[in-house]
Amino acid sequence: MIKSELVQRIAAQNPHLYQRDVENIVNAILNEITSAMAQGDRVELRGFGAFSVKHRPARTGRNPRTGAHVSVEQKSVPFFKTGKEMRERLNKGEGGADIPDDDVD
């Protein structure tokens, strides 16, 4: 699903809202998540997941074509970890998904 499809689906579920207002809301949420991550903060949406930033140190890589060593600078990459509720919904219907973690011996 792309952002425009998300906006259309939310607008269809909420006919009292204009599509442009839904688009502004979705953009505001995504911009706030992005801004928080840019500052190094962690964003947690209960039941959905958590967005955070992982820092990768500088290293020496290798060009696969020539085999030459190349220096790769340090970088920050976005990371998303799903929440428990989302994992349960995604795995519903598979093997042992109906067994709560607390009951496993």
Side-chain angles (χ1 to χ4, degrees), residues 28-97:
I29 292 169
L30 296 177
N31 287 338
E32 285 301 315
I33 292 171
T34 304
S35 296
M37 289 178 63
Q39 295 173 7
D41 294 338
R42 182 174 185 264
V43 178
E44 182 177 337
L45 303 172
R46 295 286 168 132
F48 183 72
F51 297 91
S52 60
V53 178
K54 292 209 174 199
H55 302 284
R56 296 201 177 148
R59 62 184 175 86
T60 302
R62 190 177 67 82
N63 183 334
R65 181 175 292 180
T66 64
H69 291 282
V70 185
S71 64
V72 178
E73 295 181 8
Q74 71 176 17
K75 57 183 152 185
S76 300
V77 294
F79 180 75
F80 177 75
K81 182 176 180 187
T82 59
K84 182 179 177 185
E85 289 178 36
M86 179 186 277
R87 273 195 310 274
E88 289 172 353
R89 286 184 69 182
L90 292 175
N91 292 314
K92 190 174 184 179
E94 290 184 12

Side-chain angles (χ1 to χ4, degrees), residues 4 7 16 27 32 36 40 45 81:
S4 61
V7 169
H16 60 282
N27 285 333
E32 285 301 315
L45 303 172
K81 182 176 180 187

